[in-house]
Amino acid sequence: MIFAGIDPGVSGAIALINPDTRFLEVHDMPTRDVRQNGKNRKRVDPLALLDLLESCGDDPIRHLALEKVWGMQRDTPTTAFGLGEAFAIASTIALVAKVPHTLVAPQTWKREFALAGGGKEGKAAARDHAIRLLPDHADKFKAVSKDGRVDAALLAIYSARKLGGAAI
């Protein structure tokens, strides 16, 4: 039984986990280049994301936890719009793929793992926690710049715990 987690955004990721076998697959968010206002910008690739969600074959995704995001005051309008667009794409693709999903606020899933806040300390604590829970997959979380992988994996574990009763 597969559970999934998505940290939306162009630097986000998607994680697929089977808590029974400890199988874990983590993918950086698929992106495509879009020309906008004379600049190349990365955007989430909806078709590639759909392929990832449908790639589970005989063992479909039982549930997906999608991080509920919103713009912050410190975000530029371009950043806030990009994050909102990525969230809308991920949410829509989950619907198109007919994957049951729940929107989960960052505070909610972080509370499940006793993680506080963001920033460098919060990201390091999340990475350490993911490695403790999944030591055989520590190599997937090594790159500090790929914190979306950590968040997606923890979201997948959150989904497995809350909706699958998994003891992971």
Side-chain angles (χ1 to χ4, degrees):
M1 136 181 41
I2 302 289
F3 292 87
I6 293 181
D7 178 30
V10 295
S11 63
I14 178 170
L16 305 167
I17 189 166
N18 182 325
D20 298 329
T21 63
R22 296 288 174 116
F23 160 84
L24 175 70
E25 198 174 288
V26 182
H27 301 272
D28 293 329
M29 184 63 72
T31 60
R32 60 189 172 93
D33 289 322
V34 174
R35 190 94 174 137
Q36 179 182 345
N37 297 332
K39 297 180 182 179
N40 285 332
R41 302 214 185 259
K42 295 267 185 221
R43 293 289 186 241
V44 172
D45 184 335
L47 296 177
L49 181 57
L50 180 62
D51 286 345
L52 280 173
L53 289 179
E54 292 180 334
S55 69
C56 298
D58 294 339
D59 199 2
I61 297 171
R62 180 167 174 202
H63 193 270
L64 164 75
L66 173 61
E67 186 174 59
K68 184 178 181 181
V69 294
W70 49 86
M72 306 285 237
Q73 277 189 325
R74 68 177 178 265
D75 291 342
T76 66
T78 302
T79 299
F81 180 82
L83 187 57
E85 179 185 52
F87 173 78
I89 288 170
S91 179
T92 301
I93 293 301
L95 287 168
V96 169
K98 297 181 180 164
V99 174
H101 63 285
T102 301
L103 306 181
V104 184
Q107 301 86 341
T108 303
W109 70 261
K110 288 179 181 183
R111 191 177 316 117
E112 173 70 18
F113 302 107
L115 299 171
K120 289 182 182 179
E121 297 82 20
K123 291 180 187 300
R127 177 173 283 98
D128 292 345
H129 198 74
I131 290 170
R132 269 194 307 279
L133 290 173
L134 301 163
D136 293 341
H137 300 284
D139 59 311
K140 293 178 173 114
F141 309 123
K142 281 187 181 176
V144 174
S145 64
K146 301 288 186 172
D147 60 313
R149 293 176 184 178
V150 171
D151 290 358
L154 291 175
L155 280 156
I157 293 169
Y158 175 88
S159 179
R161 284 181 176 181
K162 292 298 183 186
L163 296 144
I168 185 170

